[in-house]
Amino acid sequence: MQNIRAFFVVASAIAVLAMAALFTAYLTVAFAGILVLLSIGRAISTRLNPVPVRAKSFGPKPASRDIRVWNDGRGTIIDL
């Protein structure tokens, strides 16, 4: 009788630990899914509403006003 009772105690402890592990895995997957959805939403929202870029002139002033050189943050632009 003692062995049967010990077996059921061990079996129930293993079942409780397995349920706790599955619940932890479920919460991890749910949290990762929420983070993925938030990052996708942020990426889509930045594409729909782009931030304006301020361009500033740099370098020596050209002799004629026909040539303009400026840097918009993404590269140097030379307007001839």
Side-chain angles (χ1 to χ4, degrees):
M1 192 70 176
Q2 193 87 12
N3 289 336
I4 293 173
R5 192 176 303 149
F7 172 75
F8 282 121
V9 167
V10 169
S12 63
I14 290 172
V16 167
L17 288 175
M19 286 176 49
L22 286 175
F23 184 69
T24 302
Y26 169 75
L27 286 179
T28 303
V29 169
F31 185 67
I34 290 171
L35 287 178
V36 165
L37 289 177
L38 288 175
S39 64
I40 288 172
R42 184 175 180 198
I44 289 173
S45 70
T46 55
R47 287 180 186 236
L48 295 178
N49 191 10
V51 177
V53 176
R54 295 189 181 254
K56 59 182 179 178
S57 307
F58 72 96
K61 301 272 185 205
S64 69
R65 300 304 278 166
D66 295 339
I67 299 173
R68 293 181 293 169
V69 179
W70 70 88
N71 186 359
D72 66 349
R74 292 178 287 188
T76 303
I77 298 171
I78 302 173
D79 188 9
L80 299 174

